[in-house]
Amino acid sequence: MAHYASKGWYVQQLKERGINYHPTDKKKLETYRAAILQNFQNGKAHSFRC
């Protein structure tokens, strides 16, 4: 179990929703920083870079 609002927590939440890769970049979620995963989870999925 990951700490709330940590990178691991965001990855876990997104994977539970069936999202394993970024929709446009096709990179694994684990390569992104926590702030970018937070935006992604909140519906602001843009083409961000690490």
Side-chain angles (χ1 to χ4, degrees):
M1 175 133 184
H3 292 283
Y4 176 76
S6 67
K7 179 181 175 179
W9 184 82
Y10 285 116
V11 169
Q12 179 183 6
Q13 295 296 312
L14 289 167
K15 285 188 174 187
E16 285 177 1
R17 292 172 44 190
I19 302 169
N20 294 316
Y21 295 93
H22 191 280
T24 56
D25 291 342
K26 303 298 182 200
K27 291 173 28 179
K28 287 187 175 182
L29 295 177
E30 290 85 355
T31 61
Y32 291 97
R33 295 179 299 151
I36 297 190
L37 293 172
Q38 180 183 17
N39 289 335
F40 187 54
Q41 183 180 17
N42 293 333
K44 302 174 187 171
H46 300 288
S47 181
F48 292 110
R49 299 288 176 221
C50 294

